Short mmCIF file of all heavy atoms in Angstrom, two decimals:
data_model
loop_
_atom_site.label_atom_id
_atom_site.label_comp_id
_atom_site.label_asym_id
_atom_site.label_seq_id
_atom_site.Cartn_x
_atom_site.Cartn_y
_atom_site.Cartn_z
N MET A 73 3.13 -12.36 -23.33
CA MET A 73 3.70 -13.49 -22.62
C MET A 73 2.62 -14.47 -22.16
O MET A 73 2.90 -15.65 -21.92
CB MET A 73 4.52 -13.00 -21.42
CG MET A 73 5.72 -12.15 -21.83
SD MET A 73 6.51 -11.30 -20.44
CE MET A 73 7.17 -12.67 -19.51
N ILE A 74 1.40 -13.98 -21.99
CA ILE A 74 0.25 -14.83 -21.69
C ILE A 74 -0.89 -14.40 -22.59
O ILE A 74 -1.00 -13.22 -22.95
CB ILE A 74 -0.17 -14.75 -20.20
CG1 ILE A 74 -0.56 -13.32 -19.82
CG2 ILE A 74 0.92 -15.27 -19.29
CD1 ILE A 74 -1.18 -13.20 -18.44
N PRO A 75 -1.76 -15.34 -22.97
CA PRO A 75 -2.92 -14.98 -23.79
C PRO A 75 -4.08 -14.55 -22.90
O PRO A 75 -4.18 -14.98 -21.74
CB PRO A 75 -3.24 -16.27 -24.52
CG PRO A 75 -2.85 -17.33 -23.53
CD PRO A 75 -1.65 -16.80 -22.80
N PRO A 76 -4.97 -13.72 -23.41
CA PRO A 76 -6.19 -13.44 -22.64
C PRO A 76 -7.09 -14.66 -22.61
O PRO A 76 -7.14 -15.43 -23.57
CB PRO A 76 -6.83 -12.28 -23.41
CG PRO A 76 -6.36 -12.46 -24.83
CD PRO A 76 -4.97 -13.02 -24.71
N ALA A 77 -7.80 -14.86 -21.51
CA ALA A 77 -8.79 -15.93 -21.46
C ALA A 77 -10.00 -15.58 -22.31
O ALA A 77 -10.71 -16.45 -22.80
CB ALA A 77 -9.21 -16.19 -20.02
N SER A 78 -10.23 -14.27 -22.48
CA SER A 78 -11.29 -13.79 -23.37
C SER A 78 -10.94 -12.37 -23.79
O SER A 78 -10.12 -11.70 -23.17
CB SER A 78 -12.65 -13.81 -22.66
OG SER A 78 -12.64 -12.90 -21.56
N GLY A 79 -11.56 -11.93 -24.88
CA GLY A 79 -11.40 -10.55 -25.31
C GLY A 79 -10.19 -10.34 -26.21
O GLY A 79 -9.48 -11.28 -26.58
N THR A 80 -9.97 -9.06 -26.56
CA THR A 80 -8.88 -8.69 -27.46
C THR A 80 -7.97 -7.66 -26.80
O THR A 80 -8.42 -6.79 -26.06
CB THR A 80 -9.41 -8.10 -28.78
OG1 THR A 80 -10.21 -6.94 -28.49
CG2 THR A 80 -10.26 -9.12 -29.53
N VAL A 81 -6.67 -7.79 -27.09
CA VAL A 81 -5.64 -6.92 -26.53
C VAL A 81 -4.86 -6.31 -27.69
O VAL A 81 -4.26 -7.03 -28.49
CB VAL A 81 -4.67 -7.72 -25.63
CG1 VAL A 81 -3.63 -6.77 -25.01
CG2 VAL A 81 -5.43 -8.47 -24.56
N GLU A 82 -4.88 -4.98 -27.79
CA GLU A 82 -4.11 -4.28 -28.80
C GLU A 82 -3.08 -3.40 -28.12
O GLU A 82 -3.39 -2.69 -27.16
CB GLU A 82 -5.01 -3.43 -29.70
CG GLU A 82 -5.93 -4.22 -30.59
CD GLU A 82 -6.72 -3.34 -31.54
OE1 GLU A 82 -6.45 -2.11 -31.57
OE2 GLU A 82 -7.60 -3.85 -32.24
N VAL A 83 -1.84 -3.46 -28.63
CA VAL A 83 -0.76 -2.64 -28.11
C VAL A 83 -0.10 -1.93 -29.29
O VAL A 83 0.29 -2.59 -30.27
CB VAL A 83 0.28 -3.50 -27.36
CG1 VAL A 83 1.40 -2.61 -26.79
CG2 VAL A 83 -0.39 -4.29 -26.24
N LEU A 84 -0.03 -0.62 -29.22
CA LEU A 84 0.56 0.18 -30.29
C LEU A 84 -0.10 -0.13 -31.64
O LEU A 84 0.54 -0.24 -32.67
CB LEU A 84 2.07 -0.03 -30.36
CG LEU A 84 2.85 0.31 -29.09
CD1 LEU A 84 4.32 -0.08 -29.23
CD2 LEU A 84 2.72 1.80 -28.76
N GLY A 85 -1.43 -0.30 -31.58
CA GLY A 85 -2.21 -0.45 -32.80
C GLY A 85 -2.23 -1.83 -33.41
O GLY A 85 -2.75 -2.00 -34.51
N ALA A 86 -1.70 -2.84 -32.71
CA ALA A 86 -1.66 -4.20 -33.25
C ALA A 86 -1.92 -5.20 -32.12
O ALA A 86 -1.74 -4.87 -30.95
CB ALA A 86 -0.31 -4.49 -33.90
N PRO A 87 -2.35 -6.42 -32.45
CA PRO A 87 -2.55 -7.43 -31.40
C PRO A 87 -1.27 -7.65 -30.60
O PRO A 87 -0.17 -7.69 -31.16
CB PRO A 87 -2.93 -8.69 -32.19
CG PRO A 87 -3.53 -8.17 -33.46
CD PRO A 87 -2.75 -6.93 -33.78
N ALA A 88 -1.41 -7.78 -29.29
CA ALA A 88 -0.24 -8.03 -28.44
C ALA A 88 0.46 -9.30 -28.88
O ALA A 88 -0.19 -10.32 -29.16
CB ALA A 88 -0.67 -8.14 -26.97
N ARG A 89 1.79 -9.26 -28.96
CA ARG A 89 2.55 -10.45 -29.35
C ARG A 89 3.87 -10.48 -28.60
O ARG A 89 4.45 -9.45 -28.28
CB ARG A 89 2.81 -10.45 -30.86
CG ARG A 89 3.63 -9.29 -31.37
CD ARG A 89 3.81 -9.34 -32.87
NE ARG A 89 4.53 -8.19 -33.38
CZ ARG A 89 5.85 -8.09 -33.42
NH1 ARG A 89 6.60 -9.10 -32.96
NH2 ARG A 89 6.44 -7.02 -33.91
N ARG A 90 4.33 -11.66 -28.34
CA ARG A 90 5.59 -11.86 -27.63
C ARG A 90 6.76 -11.40 -28.51
O ARG A 90 6.77 -11.63 -29.72
CB ARG A 90 5.76 -13.34 -27.28
CG ARG A 90 6.84 -13.61 -26.25
CD ARG A 90 6.95 -15.11 -25.98
NE ARG A 90 7.84 -15.35 -24.86
CZ ARG A 90 7.45 -15.67 -23.64
NH1 ARG A 90 6.16 -15.77 -23.37
NH2 ARG A 90 8.33 -15.89 -22.67
N GLY A 91 7.74 -10.76 -27.91
CA GLY A 91 8.93 -10.35 -28.64
C GLY A 91 8.75 -9.13 -29.51
O GLY A 91 9.54 -8.90 -30.43
N ASP A 92 7.74 -8.32 -29.24
CA ASP A 92 7.52 -7.09 -30.01
C ASP A 92 8.67 -6.12 -29.74
O ASP A 92 8.82 -5.61 -28.63
CB ASP A 92 6.19 -6.47 -29.61
CG ASP A 92 5.75 -5.34 -30.55
OD1 ASP A 92 6.62 -4.74 -31.20
OD2 ASP A 92 4.54 -5.06 -30.61
N ALA A 93 9.47 -5.85 -30.77
CA ALA A 93 10.66 -5.00 -30.59
C ALA A 93 10.30 -3.56 -30.30
O ALA A 93 11.17 -2.77 -29.90
CB ALA A 93 11.54 -5.07 -31.84
N ARG A 94 9.04 -3.19 -30.47
CA ARG A 94 8.61 -1.82 -30.18
C ARG A 94 8.42 -1.57 -28.70
O ARG A 94 8.16 -0.44 -28.28
CB ARG A 94 7.31 -1.51 -30.93
CG ARG A 94 7.41 -1.63 -32.44
CD ARG A 94 6.04 -1.43 -33.08
NE ARG A 94 5.09 -2.41 -32.56
CZ ARG A 94 3.76 -2.29 -32.69
NH1 ARG A 94 3.25 -1.22 -33.29
NH2 ARG A 94 2.96 -3.22 -32.21
N ILE A 95 8.54 -2.63 -27.88
CA ILE A 95 8.30 -2.53 -26.44
C ILE A 95 9.56 -2.93 -25.70
O ILE A 95 10.11 -4.01 -25.92
CB ILE A 95 7.14 -3.43 -26.00
CG1 ILE A 95 5.88 -3.12 -26.81
CG2 ILE A 95 6.87 -3.24 -24.50
CD1 ILE A 95 4.75 -4.10 -26.55
N GLY A 96 10.04 -2.07 -24.81
CA GLY A 96 11.14 -2.40 -23.92
C GLY A 96 10.58 -2.77 -22.55
O GLY A 96 9.68 -2.11 -22.04
N TYR A 97 11.13 -3.84 -21.95
CA TYR A 97 10.58 -4.38 -20.71
C TYR A 97 11.64 -4.47 -19.63
O TYR A 97 12.74 -4.98 -19.87
CB TYR A 97 10.00 -5.78 -20.99
CG TYR A 97 9.50 -6.53 -19.79
CD1 TYR A 97 8.69 -5.92 -18.82
CD2 TYR A 97 9.81 -7.88 -19.62
CE1 TYR A 97 8.21 -6.64 -17.74
CE2 TYR A 97 9.33 -8.61 -18.55
CZ TYR A 97 8.53 -7.97 -17.60
OH TYR A 97 8.06 -8.68 -16.52
N VAL A 98 11.32 -3.96 -18.44
CA VAL A 98 12.18 -4.10 -17.26
C VAL A 98 11.41 -4.91 -16.22
O VAL A 98 10.47 -4.41 -15.61
CB VAL A 98 12.58 -2.73 -16.69
CG1 VAL A 98 13.45 -2.92 -15.45
CG2 VAL A 98 13.30 -1.89 -17.73
N PRO A 99 11.78 -6.18 -16.01
CA PRO A 99 11.05 -7.02 -15.06
C PRO A 99 11.42 -6.70 -13.62
O PRO A 99 12.38 -5.98 -13.34
CB PRO A 99 11.51 -8.43 -15.43
CG PRO A 99 12.90 -8.24 -15.96
CD PRO A 99 12.88 -6.90 -16.68
N GLN A 100 10.66 -7.27 -12.70
CA GLN A 100 11.01 -7.19 -11.29
C GLN A 100 12.31 -7.93 -11.03
O GLN A 100 12.63 -8.90 -11.71
CB GLN A 100 9.92 -7.85 -10.43
CG GLN A 100 8.64 -7.08 -10.29
CD GLN A 100 7.73 -7.73 -9.26
OE1 GLN A 100 8.16 -8.02 -8.13
NE2 GLN A 100 6.49 -7.98 -9.64
N ARG A 101 13.07 -7.45 -10.03
CA ARG A 101 14.28 -8.13 -9.57
C ARG A 101 15.16 -8.53 -10.75
O ARG A 101 15.53 -9.69 -10.92
CB ARG A 101 13.92 -9.34 -8.71
CG ARG A 101 13.05 -8.98 -7.51
CD ARG A 101 12.72 -10.18 -6.66
NE ARG A 101 13.92 -10.70 -6.02
CZ ARG A 101 14.41 -10.25 -4.87
NH1 ARG A 101 13.81 -9.25 -4.23
NH2 ARG A 101 15.50 -10.78 -4.36
N PHE A 102 15.48 -7.53 -11.55
CA PHE A 102 16.21 -7.71 -12.80
C PHE A 102 17.50 -8.51 -12.61
O PHE A 102 17.82 -9.40 -13.38
CB PHE A 102 16.53 -6.33 -13.37
CG PHE A 102 17.50 -6.31 -14.51
CD1 PHE A 102 17.09 -6.62 -15.79
CD2 PHE A 102 18.83 -5.96 -14.30
CE1 PHE A 102 17.98 -6.59 -16.85
CE2 PHE A 102 19.72 -5.92 -15.35
CZ PHE A 102 19.29 -6.24 -16.63
N GLY A 103 18.25 -8.21 -11.54
CA GLY A 103 19.56 -8.82 -11.36
C GLY A 103 19.54 -10.27 -10.91
O GLY A 103 20.55 -10.96 -10.97
N ASP A 104 18.37 -10.77 -10.46
CA ASP A 104 18.32 -12.12 -9.90
C ASP A 104 18.43 -13.21 -10.96
O ASP A 104 18.76 -14.36 -10.64
CB ASP A 104 17.02 -12.33 -9.12
CG ASP A 104 17.00 -11.53 -7.82
OD1 ASP A 104 18.04 -10.89 -7.52
OD2 ASP A 104 15.97 -11.51 -7.14
N SER A 105 18.12 -12.86 -12.21
CA SER A 105 18.03 -13.90 -13.23
C SER A 105 19.31 -14.05 -14.06
O SER A 105 19.32 -14.80 -15.03
CB SER A 105 16.86 -13.59 -14.18
OG SER A 105 17.06 -12.32 -14.79
N VAL A 106 20.37 -13.34 -13.67
CA VAL A 106 21.62 -13.41 -14.45
C VAL A 106 22.76 -13.86 -13.54
O VAL A 106 22.68 -13.75 -12.33
CB VAL A 106 21.95 -12.04 -15.09
CG1 VAL A 106 20.86 -11.62 -16.04
CG2 VAL A 106 22.17 -10.97 -14.03
N GLY A 107 23.83 -14.33 -14.16
CA GLY A 107 24.97 -14.80 -13.39
C GLY A 107 25.78 -13.66 -12.81
O GLY A 107 25.69 -12.51 -13.23
N ASP A 108 26.62 -14.00 -11.83
CA ASP A 108 27.43 -12.99 -11.16
C ASP A 108 28.52 -12.41 -12.05
O ASP A 108 28.98 -11.29 -11.83
CB ASP A 108 28.10 -13.60 -9.91
CG ASP A 108 27.10 -13.91 -8.82
OD1 ASP A 108 25.99 -13.34 -8.87
OD2 ASP A 108 27.43 -14.72 -7.93
N ALA A 109 28.94 -13.16 -13.06
CA ALA A 109 30.12 -12.73 -13.82
C ALA A 109 29.79 -11.78 -14.97
O ALA A 109 30.68 -11.09 -15.47
CB ALA A 109 30.83 -13.96 -14.39
N ILE A 110 28.56 -11.69 -15.41
CA ILE A 110 28.22 -10.87 -16.58
C ILE A 110 28.34 -9.38 -16.24
O ILE A 110 28.03 -8.95 -15.13
CB ILE A 110 26.81 -11.20 -17.10
CG1 ILE A 110 26.57 -10.53 -18.46
CG2 ILE A 110 25.75 -10.79 -16.09
CD1 ILE A 110 25.32 -11.01 -19.14
N THR A 111 28.83 -8.61 -17.19
CA THR A 111 28.98 -7.18 -16.98
C THR A 111 27.71 -6.44 -17.41
O THR A 111 26.88 -6.97 -18.15
CB THR A 111 30.15 -6.61 -17.80
OG1 THR A 111 29.84 -6.69 -19.20
CG2 THR A 111 31.44 -7.37 -17.50
N GLY A 112 27.60 -5.22 -16.94
CA GLY A 112 26.47 -4.39 -17.33
C GLY A 112 26.41 -4.19 -18.83
O GLY A 112 25.33 -4.27 -19.44
N ARG A 113 27.55 -3.96 -19.46
CA ARG A 113 27.57 -3.74 -20.91
C ARG A 113 27.08 -4.97 -21.67
O ARG A 113 26.31 -4.85 -22.63
CB ARG A 113 28.98 -3.36 -21.37
CG ARG A 113 29.15 -3.26 -22.89
CD ARG A 113 30.51 -2.76 -23.26
NE ARG A 113 30.67 -1.35 -22.92
CZ ARG A 113 30.22 -0.35 -23.67
NH1 ARG A 113 29.59 -0.60 -24.81
NH2 ARG A 113 30.39 0.89 -23.30
N ASP A 114 27.51 -6.16 -21.26
CA ASP A 114 27.08 -7.37 -21.93
C ASP A 114 25.57 -7.59 -21.78
O ASP A 114 24.91 -8.08 -22.70
CB ASP A 114 27.84 -8.58 -21.43
CG ASP A 114 29.25 -8.67 -22.02
OD1 ASP A 114 29.52 -7.95 -23.00
OD2 ASP A 114 30.06 -9.45 -21.50
N LEU A 115 25.03 -7.23 -20.62
CA LEU A 115 23.58 -7.35 -20.43
C LEU A 115 22.83 -6.41 -21.35
O LEU A 115 21.80 -6.77 -21.93
CB LEU A 115 23.21 -7.06 -18.98
CG LEU A 115 23.21 -8.26 -18.04
CD1 LEU A 115 22.95 -7.83 -16.62
CD2 LEU A 115 22.16 -9.27 -18.49
N VAL A 116 23.33 -5.19 -21.50
CA VAL A 116 22.68 -4.25 -22.41
C VAL A 116 22.78 -4.76 -23.84
O VAL A 116 21.82 -4.68 -24.63
CB VAL A 116 23.31 -2.85 -22.29
CG1 VAL A 116 22.70 -1.89 -23.32
CG2 VAL A 116 23.09 -2.30 -20.88
N ARG A 117 23.93 -5.35 -24.19
CA ARG A 117 24.09 -5.89 -25.53
C ARG A 117 23.08 -7.01 -25.80
O ARG A 117 22.61 -7.18 -26.93
CB ARG A 117 25.52 -6.43 -25.71
CG ARG A 117 25.85 -6.89 -27.12
CD ARG A 117 27.29 -7.31 -27.22
NE ARG A 117 28.21 -6.18 -27.14
CZ ARG A 117 28.62 -5.47 -28.19
NH1 ARG A 117 28.21 -5.80 -29.40
NH2 ARG A 117 29.45 -4.47 -28.04
N LEU A 118 22.71 -7.76 -24.76
CA LEU A 118 21.71 -8.80 -24.93
C LEU A 118 20.34 -8.23 -25.30
O LEU A 118 19.51 -8.93 -25.86
CB LEU A 118 21.59 -9.63 -23.65
CG LEU A 118 22.70 -10.65 -23.40
CD1 LEU A 118 22.52 -11.31 -22.05
CD2 LEU A 118 22.71 -11.70 -24.51
N GLY A 119 20.11 -6.94 -24.99
CA GLY A 119 18.89 -6.31 -25.44
C GLY A 119 18.83 -6.22 -26.95
O GLY A 119 17.74 -6.13 -27.53
N HIS A 120 19.98 -6.27 -27.60
CA HIS A 120 20.04 -6.26 -29.06
C HIS A 120 20.06 -7.67 -29.63
O HIS A 120 19.40 -7.97 -30.62
CB HIS A 120 21.29 -5.50 -29.52
CG HIS A 120 21.30 -5.19 -30.98
ND1 HIS A 120 21.49 -6.16 -31.94
CD2 HIS A 120 21.14 -4.02 -31.65
CE1 HIS A 120 21.45 -5.59 -33.14
NE2 HIS A 120 21.24 -4.31 -32.99
N THR A 121 20.80 -8.56 -29.00
CA THR A 121 21.00 -9.91 -29.56
C THR A 121 20.05 -10.94 -28.98
O THR A 121 20.10 -12.09 -29.37
CB THR A 121 22.44 -10.37 -29.31
OG1 THR A 121 22.68 -10.41 -27.89
CG2 THR A 121 23.44 -9.43 -29.95
N GLY A 122 19.21 -10.55 -28.02
CA GLY A 122 18.29 -11.50 -27.40
C GLY A 122 19.04 -12.47 -26.51
O GLY A 122 19.93 -12.08 -25.77
N SER A 123 18.71 -13.72 -26.58
CA SER A 123 19.33 -14.72 -25.71
C SER A 123 20.58 -15.33 -26.33
O SER A 123 21.13 -16.28 -25.78
CB SER A 123 18.32 -15.83 -25.39
OG SER A 123 17.90 -16.45 -26.59
N ARG A 124 21.03 -14.83 -27.47
CA ARG A 124 22.20 -15.42 -28.13
C ARG A 124 23.47 -14.89 -27.45
O ARG A 124 23.70 -13.68 -27.39
CB ARG A 124 22.21 -15.04 -29.62
CG ARG A 124 21.00 -15.56 -30.37
CD ARG A 124 21.17 -15.34 -31.88
NE ARG A 124 21.35 -13.95 -32.22
CZ ARG A 124 20.35 -13.09 -32.41
NH1 ARG A 124 19.10 -13.50 -32.28
NH2 ARG A 124 20.58 -11.83 -32.74
N TRP A 125 24.27 -15.80 -26.94
CA TRP A 125 25.47 -15.39 -26.23
C TRP A 125 26.67 -15.21 -27.15
O TRP A 125 27.73 -14.81 -26.71
CB TRP A 125 25.79 -16.40 -25.13
CG TRP A 125 24.88 -16.20 -23.98
CD1 TRP A 125 23.68 -16.79 -23.76
CD2 TRP A 125 25.08 -15.31 -22.88
NE1 TRP A 125 23.11 -16.33 -22.61
CE2 TRP A 125 23.95 -15.43 -22.04
CE3 TRP A 125 26.10 -14.43 -22.51
CZ2 TRP A 125 23.82 -14.71 -20.87
CZ3 TRP A 125 25.97 -13.72 -21.34
CH2 TRP A 125 24.83 -13.86 -20.54
#
Side-chain angles (χ1 to χ4, degrees):
M73 297 169 67
I74 60 172
S78 64
T80 59
V81 182
E82 292 185 6
V83 181
L84 301 174
R89 61 182 177 85
R90 195 181 188 104
D92 191 336
R94 300 175 302 164
I95 305 172
Y97 175 46
V98 179
Q100 286 189 50
R101 303 181 67 86
F102 169 80
D104 289 355
S105 60
V106 298
D108 290 341
I110 190 169
T111 68
R113 174 175 290 279
D114 282 347
L115 270 175
V116 176
R117 186 177 289 271
L118 283 175
H120 191 289
T121 61
S123 60
R124 298 189 302 274
W125 283 91

